[in-house]
Amino acid sequence: AQRVTQPEKLLSVFKGAPVELKCNYSYSGSPELFWYVQYSRQRLQLLLRHISRESIKGFTADLNKGETSFHLKKPFAQEEDSAMYYCALSGQGAQKLVFGQGTRLTINP
Amino acid sequence: GAGVSQSPSNKVTEKGKDVELRCDPISGHTALYWYRQSLGQGLEFLIYFQGNSAPDKSGLPSDRFSAERTGGSVSTLTIQRTQQEDSAVYLCASSLSPGSGNTIYFGEGSWLTVV
């Protein structure tokens, strides 16, 4: 079974400070991992995916299969990063996308 | 259309009534998903349609919930005999096809309030 855990429901950091949103997963095969973001009054949208190994808006995430984690990181938080962040997992093949419970990130000025 | 379209955007209904929520996916997208977003519960998977395959209904919380997708396009989520705990935002999403290479795109959601 696919399972995604985001242990922090709320995270608050000051502008300019580093931020890390935690995500752990459970899946027996090779997963595809994603981070989705929902800004205030906007649709949920893809932020990044692990297979792309990309940095979007200064955020990066590395898949650690040993620790079954896919934490989202940014070295210097900005106020516009305040949003709801969801970690998601898709199994091999034509599998549904399963989300974690989300972390609400607030960046304080 | 340009994106996933959902209707109604807001619905207030009395406990015990049936409701229908509609989703119009992006043209050409074969995969369609329904999720429920509620306070403290995150994004809860409900049902997933992929082409002509049998839908994955494993996330439907009870037999009061059902969904169909006609002609591989528009989908309707039906909740019968609504309860107050059904109050949530119901999100629809679609993707070109399932798999890691295809981003899923979300609609704005249907806010359901059961009074």
PDB file of all heavy atoms in Angstrom, chain A residues 1-6 23-29 31-33 68-70 87-91 96-101:
ATOM      1  N   ALA A   1       0.841  -1.197   0.000  1.00  0.00           N
ATOM      2  CA  ALA A   1       0.000   0.000   0.000  1.00  0.00           C
ATOM      3  C   ALA A   1       0.878   1.250   0.000  1.00  0.00           C
ATOM      4  O   ALA A   1       1.971   1.249   0.535  1.00  0.00           O
ATOM      5  CB  ALA A   1      -0.901   0.007   1.219  1.00  0.00           C
ATOM      6  N   GLN A   2       0.363   2.268  -0.635  1.00  0.00           N
ATOM      7  CA  GLN A   2       1.089   3.545  -0.689  1.00  0.00           C
ATOM      8  C   GLN A   2       0.687   4.410   0.495  1.00  0.00           C
ATOM      9  O   GLN A   2      -0.490   4.510   0.812  1.00  0.00           O
ATOM     10  CB  GLN A   2       0.724   4.298  -1.970  1.00  0.00           C
ATOM     11  CG  GLN A   2       1.008   3.532  -3.242  1.00  0.00           C
ATOM     12  CD  GLN A   2       0.239   4.089  -4.416  1.00  0.00           C
ATOM     13  OE1 GLN A   2      -0.470   3.367  -5.101  1.00  0.00           O
ATOM     14  NE2 GLN A   2       0.343   5.366  -4.667  1.00  0.00           N
ATOM     15  N   ARG A   3       1.659   5.035   1.105  1.00  0.00           N
ATOM     16  CA  ARG A   3       1.366   5.907   2.234  1.00  0.00           C
ATOM     17  C   ARG A   3       2.367   7.042   2.278  1.00  0.00           C
ATOM     18  O   ARG A   3       3.559   6.830   2.056  1.00  0.00           O
ATOM     19  CB  ARG A   3       1.455   5.122   3.524  1.00  0.00           C
ATOM     20  CG  ARG A   3       0.939   5.869   4.738  1.00  0.00           C
ATOM     21  CD  ARG A   3       1.066   4.992   5.947  1.00  0.00           C
ATOM     22  NE  ARG A   3       0.034   5.278   6.925  1.00  0.00           N
ATOM     23  CZ  ARG A   3      -0.150   4.576   8.026  1.00  0.00           C
ATOM     24  NH1 ARG A   3       0.589   3.544   8.294  1.00  0.00           N
ATOM     25  NH2 ARG A   3      -1.094   4.900   8.875  1.00  0.00           N
ATOM     26  N   VAL A   4       1.871   8.252   2.560  1.00  0.00           N
ATOM     27  CA  VAL A   4       2.727   9.430   2.668  1.00  0.00           C
ATOM     28  C   VAL A   4       2.460  10.099   4.009  1.00  0.00           C
ATOM     29  O   VAL A   4       1.297  10.324   4.367  1.00  0.00           O
ATOM     30  CB  VAL A   4       2.455  10.426   1.521  1.00  0.00           C
ATOM     31  CG1 VAL A   4       3.321  11.669   1.681  1.00  0.00           C
ATOM     32  CG2 VAL A   4       2.707   9.767   0.169  1.00  0.00           C
ATOM     33  N   THR A   5       3.517  10.425   4.720  1.00  0.00           N
ATOM     34  CA  THR A   5       3.382  11.060   6.026  1.00  0.00           C
ATOM     35  C   THR A   5       4.112  12.389   6.046  1.00  0.00           C
ATOM     36  O   THR A   5       5.300  12.457   5.728  1.00  0.00           O
ATOM     37  CB  THR A   5       3.966  10.150   7.127  1.00  0.00           C
ATOM     38  OG1 THR A   5       3.304   8.893   7.098  1.00  0.00           O
ATOM     39  CG2 THR A   5       3.753  10.781   8.501  1.00  0.00           C
ATOM     40  N   GLN A   6       3.395  13.420   6.409  1.00  0.00           N
ATOM     41  CA  GLN A   6       4.002  14.730   6.640  1.00  0.00           C
ATOM     42  C   GLN A   6       3.789  15.027   8.123  1.00  0.00           C
ATOM     43  O   GLN A   6       2.666  15.317   8.532  1.00  0.00           O
ATOM     44  CB  GLN A   6       3.346  15.802   5.768  1.00  0.00           C
ATOM     45  CG  GLN A   6       3.623  15.612   4.287  1.00  0.00           C
ATOM     46  CD  GLN A   6       2.944  16.673   3.447  1.00  0.00           C
ATOM     47  OE1 GLN A   6       1.983  16.364   2.727  1.00  0.00           O
ATOM     48  NE2 GLN A   6       3.419  17.905   3.531  1.00  0.00           N
ATOM     49  N   CYS A  23       8.832  14.860   4.640  1.00  0.00           N
ATOM     50  CA  CYS A  23       7.933  13.920   3.997  1.00  0.00           C
ATOM     51  C   CYS A  23       8.565  12.534   4.081  1.00  0.00           C
ATOM     52  O   CYS A  23       9.714  12.352   3.667  1.00  0.00           O
ATOM     53  CB  CYS A  23       7.699  14.295   2.540  1.00  0.00           C
ATOM     54  SG  CYS A  23       6.770  13.057   1.597  1.00  0.00           S
ATOM     55  N   ASN A  24       7.821  11.580   4.592  1.00  0.00           N
ATOM     56  CA  ASN A  24       8.251  10.186   4.592  1.00  0.00           C
ATOM     57  C   ASN A  24       7.196   9.347   3.874  1.00  0.00           C
ATOM     58  O   ASN A  24       6.013   9.680   3.892  1.00  0.00           O
ATOM     59  CB  ASN A  24       8.454   9.685   6.023  1.00  0.00           C
ATOM     60  CG  ASN A  24       9.667  10.301   6.664  1.00  0.00           C
ATOM     61  OD1 ASN A  24       9.592  11.352   7.302  1.00  0.00           O
ATOM     62  ND2 ASN A  24      10.809   9.675   6.459  1.00  0.00           N
ATOM     63  N   TYR A  25       7.635   8.287   3.265  1.00  0.00           N
ATOM     64  CA  TYR A  25       6.699   7.480   2.504  1.00  0.00           C
ATOM     65  C   TYR A  25       6.870   6.001   2.798  1.00  0.00           C
ATOM     66  O   TYR A  25       7.887   5.566   3.330  1.00  0.00           O
ATOM     67  CB  TYR A  25       6.864   7.741   0.995  1.00  0.00           C
ATOM     68  CG  TYR A  25       8.174   7.257   0.427  1.00  0.00           C
ATOM     69  CD1 TYR A  25       8.313   5.964  -0.069  1.00  0.00           C
ATOM     70  CD2 TYR A  25       9.285   8.099   0.378  1.00  0.00           C
ATOM     71  CE1 TYR A  25       9.520   5.521  -0.584  1.00  0.00           C
ATOM     72  CE2 TYR A  25      10.493   7.663  -0.130  1.00  0.00           C
ATOM     73  CZ  TYR A  25      10.603   6.377  -0.610  1.00  0.00           C
ATOM     74  OH  TYR A  25      11.795   5.932  -1.111  1.00  0.00           O
ATOM     75  N   SER A  26       5.846   5.267   2.394  1.00  0.00           N
ATOM     76  CA  SER A  26       5.878   3.819   2.507  1.00  0.00           C
ATOM     77  C   SER A  26       5.371   3.254   1.188  1.00  0.00           C
ATOM     78  O   SER A  26       4.247   3.560   0.764  1.00  0.00           O
ATOM     79  CB  SER A  26       4.990   3.368   3.667  1.00  0.00           C
ATOM     80  OG  SER A  26       4.898   1.957   3.702  1.00  0.00           O
ATOM     81  N   TYR A  27       6.231   2.470   0.546  1.00  0.00           N
ATOM     82  CA  TYR A  27       5.846   1.842  -0.727  1.00  0.00           C
ATOM     83  C   TYR A  27       6.843   0.749  -1.009  1.00  0.00           C
ATOM     84  O   TYR A  27       8.051   0.951  -0.911  1.00  0.00           O
ATOM     85  CB  TYR A  27       5.829   2.867  -1.859  1.00  0.00           C
ATOM     86  CG  TYR A  27       5.389   2.297  -3.187  1.00  0.00           C
ATOM     87  CD1 TYR A  27       4.093   1.815  -3.357  1.00  0.00           C
ATOM     88  CD2 TYR A  27       6.267   2.225  -4.262  1.00  0.00           C
ATOM     89  CE1 TYR A  27       3.689   1.268  -4.571  1.00  0.00           C
ATOM     90  CE2 TYR A  27       5.868   1.682  -5.469  1.00  0.00           C
ATOM     91  CZ  TYR A  27       4.582   1.214  -5.625  1.00  0.00           C
ATOM     92  OH  TYR A  27       4.170   0.684  -6.818  1.00  0.00           O
ATOM     93  N   SER A  28       6.375  -0.390  -1.434  1.00  0.00           N
ATOM     94  CA  SER A  28       7.241  -1.549  -1.589  1.00  0.00           C
ATOM     95  C   SER A  28       8.052  -1.527  -2.873  1.00  0.00           C
ATOM     96  O   SER A  28       9.082  -2.187  -2.968  1.00  0.00           O
ATOM     97  CB  SER A  28       6.415  -2.832  -1.519  1.00  0.00           C
ATOM     98  OG  SER A  28       5.389  -2.802  -2.495  1.00  0.00           O
ATOM     99  N   GLY A  29       7.601  -0.774  -3.872  1.00  0.00           N
ATOM    100  CA  GLY A  29       8.313  -0.737  -5.137  1.00  0.00           C
ATOM    101  C   GLY A  29       9.123   0.537  -5.282  1.00  0.00           C
ATOM    102  O   GLY A  29       9.576   1.120  -4.302  1.00  0.00           O
ATOM    103  N   PRO A  31       9.006   4.254  -6.045  1.00  0.00           N
ATOM    104  CA  PRO A  31       7.971   5.293  -6.110  1.00  0.00           C
ATOM    105  C   PRO A  31       8.378   6.481  -6.968  1.00  0.00           C
ATOM    106  O   PRO A  31       9.560   6.716  -7.223  1.00  0.00           O
ATOM    107  CB  PRO A  31       7.854   5.729  -4.648  1.00  0.00           C
ATOM    108  CG  PRO A  31       9.256   5.604  -4.141  1.00  0.00           C
ATOM    109  CD  PRO A  31       9.860   4.420  -4.856  1.00  0.00           C
ATOM    110  N   GLU A  32       7.375   7.219  -7.367  1.00  0.00           N
ATOM    111  CA  GLU A  32       7.591   8.542  -7.939  1.00  0.00           C
ATOM    112  C   GLU A  32       7.104   9.529  -6.884  1.00  0.00           C
ATOM    113  O   GLU A  32       5.989   9.415  -6.391  1.00  0.00           O
ATOM    114  CB  GLU A  32       6.782   8.721  -9.220  1.00  0.00           C
ATOM    115  CG  GLU A  32       7.080   7.687 -10.307  1.00  0.00           C
ATOM    116  CD  GLU A  32       8.444   7.866 -10.942  1.00  0.00           C
ATOM    117  OE1 GLU A  32       9.115   8.891 -10.669  1.00  0.00           O
ATOM    118  OE2 GLU A  32       8.848   6.985 -11.717  1.00  0.00           O
ATOM    119  N   LEU A  33       7.946  10.489  -6.539  1.00  0.00           N
ATOM    120  CA  LEU A  33       7.588  11.442  -5.489  1.00  0.00           C
ATOM    121  C   LEU A  33       7.444  12.850  -6.043  1.00  0.00           C
ATOM    122  O   LEU A  33       8.181  13.241  -6.975  1.00  0.00           O
ATOM    123  CB  LEU A  33       8.669  11.460  -4.389  1.00  0.00           C
ATOM    124  CG  LEU A  33       8.589  10.435  -3.254  1.00  0.00           C
ATOM    125  CD1 LEU A  33       7.326  10.635  -2.431  1.00  0.00           C
ATOM    126  CD2 LEU A  33       8.691   9.026  -3.754  1.00  0.00           C
ATOM    127  N   THR A  68      13.555   6.450   3.211  1.00  0.00           N
ATOM    128  CA  THR A  68      12.207   6.618   2.619  1.00  0.00           C
ATOM    129  C   THR A  68      11.681   8.018   2.890  1.00  0.00           C
ATOM    130  O   THR A  68      10.592   8.213   3.450  1.00  0.00           O
ATOM    131  CB  THR A  68      11.209   5.551   3.126  1.00  0.00           C
ATOM    132  OG1 THR A  68      11.083   5.631   4.548  1.00  0.00           O
ATOM    133  CG2 THR A  68      11.642   4.164   2.715  1.00  0.00           C
ATOM    134  N   SER A  69      12.486   8.992   2.483  1.00  0.00           N
ATOM    135  CA  SER A  69      12.100  10.385   2.705  1.00  0.00           C
ATOM    136  C   SER A  69      12.244  11.194   1.425  1.00  0.00           C
ATOM    137  O   SER A  69      12.986  10.820   0.503  1.00  0.00           O
ATOM    138  CB  SER A  69      12.961  11.002   3.812  1.00  0.00           C
ATOM    139  OG  SER A  69      14.296  11.154   3.379  1.00  0.00           O
ATOM    140  N   PHE A  70      11.539  12.302   1.408  1.00  0.00           N
ATOM    141  CA  PHE A  70      11.587  13.231   0.257  1.00  0.00           C
ATOM    142  C   PHE A  70      11.318  14.619   0.812  1.00  0.00           C
ATOM    143  O   PHE A  70      10.330  15.263   0.510  1.00  0.00           O
ATOM    144  CB  PHE A  70      10.537  12.808  -0.784  1.00  0.00           C
ATOM    145  CG  PHE A  70      10.612  13.570  -2.089  1.00  0.00           C
ATOM    146  CD1 PHE A  70      11.764  13.573  -2.846  1.00  0.00           C
ATOM    147  CD2 PHE A  70       9.505  14.264  -2.581  1.00  0.00           C
ATOM    148  CE1 PHE A  70      11.838  14.258  -4.061  1.00  0.00           C
ATOM    149  CE2 PHE A  70       9.554  14.949  -3.784  1.00  0.00           C
ATOM    150  CZ  PHE A  70      10.722  14.944  -4.522  1.00  0.00           C
ATOM    151  N   CYS A  87       3.090  16.612  -0.011  1.00  0.00           N
ATOM    152  CA  CYS A  87       3.957  15.604  -0.599  1.00  0.00           C
ATOM    153  C   CYS A  87       3.067  14.507  -1.191  1.00  0.00           C
ATOM    154  O   CYS A  87       2.010  14.192  -0.609  1.00  0.00           O
ATOM    155  CB  CYS A  87       4.866  15.035   0.487  1.00  0.00           C
ATOM    156  SG  CYS A  87       6.072  13.831  -0.080  1.00  0.00           S
ATOM    157  N   ALA A  88       3.452  13.961  -2.336  1.00  0.00           N
ATOM    158  CA  ALA A  88       2.609  12.959  -2.983  1.00  0.00           C
ATOM    159  C   ALA A  88       3.446  11.842  -3.580  1.00  0.00           C
ATOM    160  O   ALA A  88       4.606  12.057  -3.963  1.00  0.00           O
ATOM    161  CB  ALA A  88       1.750  13.611  -4.063  1.00  0.00           C
ATOM    162  N   LEU A  89       2.843  10.688  -3.675  1.00  0.00           N
ATOM    163  CA  LEU A  89       3.532   9.500  -4.175  1.00  0.00           C
ATOM    164  C   LEU A  89       2.669   8.780  -5.197  1.00  0.00           C
ATOM    165  O   LEU A  89       1.452   8.630  -5.015  1.00  0.00           O
ATOM    166  CB  LEU A  89       3.840   8.560  -2.995  1.00  0.00           C
ATOM    167  CG  LEU A  89       4.494   7.208  -3.280  1.00  0.00           C
ATOM    168  CD1 LEU A  89       5.306   6.763  -2.062  1.00  0.00           C
ATOM    169  CD2 LEU A  89       3.490   6.132  -3.617  1.00  0.00           C
ATOM    170  N   SER A  90       3.332   8.340  -6.244  1.00  0.00           N
ATOM    171  CA  SER A  90       2.667   7.500  -7.234  1.00  0.00           C
ATOM    172  C   SER A  90       3.463   6.217  -7.378  1.00  0.00           C
ATOM    173  O   SER A  90       4.695   6.255  -7.469  1.00  0.00           O
ATOM    174  CB  SER A  90       2.598   8.225  -8.578  1.00  0.00           C
ATOM    175  OG  SER A  90       2.039   7.392  -9.570  1.00  0.00           O
ATOM    176  N   GLY A  91       2.775   5.097  -7.381  1.00  0.00           N
ATOM    177  CA  GLY A  91       3.460   3.824  -7.539  1.00  0.00           C
ATOM    178  C   GLY A  91       3.793   3.542  -8.990  1.00  0.00           C
ATOM    179  O   GLY A  91       3.497   4.333  -9.885  1.00  0.00           O
ATOM    180  N   LYS A  96      -2.625   5.540  -8.917  1.00  0.00           N
ATOM    181  CA  LYS A  96      -3.169   6.798  -8.419  1.00  0.00           C
ATOM    182  C   LYS A  96      -2.101   7.563  -7.631  1.00  0.00           C
ATOM    183  O   LYS A  96      -1.110   7.005  -7.184  1.00  0.00           O
ATOM    184  CB  LYS A  96      -4.358   6.534  -7.507  1.00  0.00           C
ATOM    185  CG  LYS A  96      -4.021   5.700  -6.276  1.00  0.00           C
ATOM    186  CD  LYS A  96      -5.261   5.459  -5.460  1.00  0.00           C
ATOM    187  CE  LYS A  96      -4.964   4.606  -4.232  1.00  0.00           C
ATOM    188  NZ  LYS A  96      -4.940   3.186  -4.557  1.00  0.00           N
ATOM    189  N   LEU A  97      -2.336   8.846  -7.473  1.00  0.00           N
ATOM    190  CA  LEU A  97      -1.441   9.721  -6.714  1.00  0.00           C
ATOM    191  C   LEU A  97      -1.993   9.850  -5.299  1.00  0.00           C
ATOM    192  O   LEU A  97      -3.146  10.237  -5.104  1.00  0.00           O
ATOM    193  CB  LEU A  97      -1.385  11.086  -7.396  1.00  0.00           C
ATOM    194  CG  LEU A  97      -0.247  12.030  -7.038  1.00  0.00           C
ATOM    195  CD1 LEU A  97       1.092  11.411  -7.390  1.00  0.00           C
ATOM    196  CD2 LEU A  97      -0.416  13.344  -7.781  1.00  0.00           C
ATOM    197  N   VAL A  98      -1.160   9.502  -4.325  1.00  0.00           N
ATOM    198  CA  VAL A  98      -1.579   9.558  -2.922  1.00  0.00           C
ATOM    199  C   VAL A  98      -0.849  10.703  -2.235  1.00  0.00           C
ATOM    200  O   VAL A  98       0.370  10.840  -2.376  1.00  0.00           O
ATOM    201  CB  VAL A  98      -1.258   8.224  -2.219  1.00  0.00           C
ATOM    202  CG1 VAL A  98      -1.543   8.318  -0.732  1.00  0.00           C
ATOM    203  CG2 VAL A  98      -2.079   7.108  -2.839  1.00  0.00           C
ATOM    204  N   PHE A  99      -1.590  11.505  -1.486  1.00  0.00           N
ATOM    205  CA  PHE A  99      -1.038  12.692  -0.849  1.00  0.00           C
ATOM    206  C   PHE A  99      -0.878  12.511   0.651  1.00  0.00           C
ATOM    207  O   PHE A  99      -1.606  11.742   1.287  1.00  0.00           O
ATOM    208  CB  PHE A  99      -1.964  13.896  -1.088  1.00  0.00           C
ATOM    209  CG  PHE A  99      -1.949  14.415  -2.494  1.00  0.00           C
ATOM    210  CD1 PHE A  99      -2.722  13.825  -3.475  1.00  0.00           C
ATOM    211  CD2 PHE A  99      -1.155  15.507  -2.831  1.00  0.00           C
ATOM    212  CE1 PHE A  99      -2.705  14.302  -4.773  1.00  0.00           C
ATOM    213  CE2 PHE A  99      -1.139  15.997  -4.125  1.00  0.00           C
ATOM    214  CZ  PHE A  99      -1.919  15.394  -5.101  1.00  0.00           C
ATOM    215  N   GLY A 100       0.054  13.277   1.194  1.00  0.00           N
ATOM    216  CA  GLY A 100       0.158  13.394   2.639  1.00  0.00           C
ATOM    217  C   GLY A 100      -0.874  14.381   3.143  1.00  0.00           C
ATOM    218  O   GLY A 100      -1.667  14.931   2.372  1.00  0.00           O
ATOM    219  N   GLN A 101      -0.850  14.622   4.449  1.00  0.00           N
ATOM    220  CA  GLN A 101      -1.855  15.476   5.051  1.00  0.00           C
ATOM    221  C   GLN A 101      -1.572  16.959   4.882  1.00  0.00           C
ATOM    222  O   GLN A 101      -2.418  17.789   5.183  1.00  0.00           O
ATOM    223  CB  GLN A 101      -2.005  15.140   6.538  1.00  0.00           C
ATOM    224  CG  GLN A 101      -2.622  13.771   6.758  1.00  0.00           C
ATOM    225  CD  GLN A 101      -3.037  13.557   8.196  1.00  0.00           C
ATOM    226  OE1 GLN A 101      -2.376  14.032   9.116  1.00  0.00           O
ATOM    227  NE2 GLN A 101      -4.126  12.854   8.398  1.00  0.00           N
TER     228      GLN A 101
END
